Amino acid sequence: MVVIQSEHQRTNIAKLPCAEGAAHNDWLRQHEDHCLQDTRVELRKQIMDWCDDSNSKCIFWLNGMAGTGKSTISRTIAQELAEKKRLAASFFFTRGKRDISHSRMFFTTIAAQLANSLPVLRISISHAIDNNPDIFKQGLREQWNQLILNPLKDAPTQSIQLVVVIDALDECDNMQDIQLILLLLAEAKDLETVRIKIFLTSRPEIPIFDGFRRLSGEAYQDFILHNIPLETVSADISTFFRQKLSPLKAGHGLGTPWPDELVIAQLVERAAGLFIYAATTLRFIQDGIDGPEEQLSLVLSATKSSLSATKHLDGIYATVLHSVLGKRDYQECEELAGRFRQVVGSIVVMFNTMPARDLAQLLQIRFKMVSRTLDSLRSVLNVPENESQPVRLFHLSFRDFLQDSQRCIDSRFHIDEKESHTSLFRKCMSHISQLQENICGLWGPGVLTTEIPNDTIQKCIPSHVQYACRYWLDHWRLGNPMEEGIKTIRQFFEQHFLHWLEGLSLIGEILNGAHMITTLEEILSVSCNAH
């Protein structure tokens, strides 16, 4: 169908405010990466199958932690769709970059791109501007309805299925706008003639989780990027390093093989599934004035305090942490930061993971407070929807970042390892001091632990108390509050030593208990000799 655009329509469409840098192929993005041909193969096929399936859900939400390659996938999908003339529009949010850090031009930009990719909409969009010249100053809902949804409903009958690509929605600076955008986009599921699908990526932030929870399950499907098996991602990162480092070898006249398979394997292991580490490492090797061989040597010998190899990753982590505070006053920020250090500081030094509710009991703070703290950090912490599953770090580099004051330069978030261990030691001692004789109420002496139901043991010695029984000494040893610790431990041994041994026996850790006593004796012996 040929649509002739009048001068008036062209003038009206040109009035639509467009965010600079929003489109996937904008000049500002010309040097940004796309997926290599042999990487992300299965995921890209799944996304394209969703695009092609007329019965698939309206929204495909690809969510993943910082650094997993969401934007690279978005650019690749947008490019593939554009080549097939299936791309309706694209908008790549970027925090801190003027027009694309907020939503004020979001729908007007999408409408302008729609008018170009689907000429049949130009008449309706132009009429909407004629009828409401102030539409550009109005809210998101009015812009969505008048510039996009209604024109799509009024489009001449023809079976068309196009895709809008929206990347990094979490980087929009207004949380309420994010949720409203999701609510409005979901209305596209009811379109009949011109069907618009939305491919959307984001970090797993609270407002976006909440926004999707409010939608009907018929409106969207999701894919959790960081749940792809590590071996699959590592194979892609290995391919990335081989293909990207190969031109350096030729350009600098390096010998063959360079780098060898052992070095590639080391780089892949350090990346630990994070494409952002791979990309940062590659840039570090490429950009160094000492040449790629020397730069690669620095990467392989770098310690966690090396700023050069981690600055990009550190920037992401710093952005995530600062978003936790938002636009709050000084007192609120200090309270949130203090809670962060208590909760996350414990997670990064603990010897075993545990669910959020158990963590709250271990730390003796309300679960609601722990939950709020964790929910704001889903980009860097794996916080399962199932409360029975443990909370864990996505990547150890986050722990290294928090514990290194030269990298985590905001002291409000810096985790002092010794202070965290000392705090956990105190909490552990508080819990195991509540142990008592025959805590499970056994019916007589000589009962085998195998005869005691697991749920009975779990009820009488909850997970957080089990953790305290097992790890109190390790936290004291690494926290090193020597004088305070010795006094507390002596009091504990005088009053609860046998209760603790009974508890260890019930949870199957009695051998570890014997080892802990030996270790304690060695520590005290060294301490006495030192004094």
Side-chain angles (χ1 to χ4, degrees), residues 347 352-356 359 374 381-384 389-393:
I347 292 173
N352 197 8
T353 57
M354 61 174 56
L359 178 63
L374 297 179
L381 298 177
N382 190 339
V383 186
Q389 296 179 353
V391 178
R392 60 182 178 83
L393 297 175

Side-chain angles (χ1 to χ4, degrees), residues 117-134:
S117 60
L118 201 57
V120 295
L121 299 180
R122 292 172 184 166
I123 297 175
S124 297
I125 294 175
S126 180
H127 283 168
I129 296 171
D130 285 335
N131 294 334
N132 189 354
D134 290 332

Side-chain angles (χ1 to χ4, degrees), residues 90 122 257 499 525:
S90 59
R122 292 172 184 166
H499 304 156
S525 176

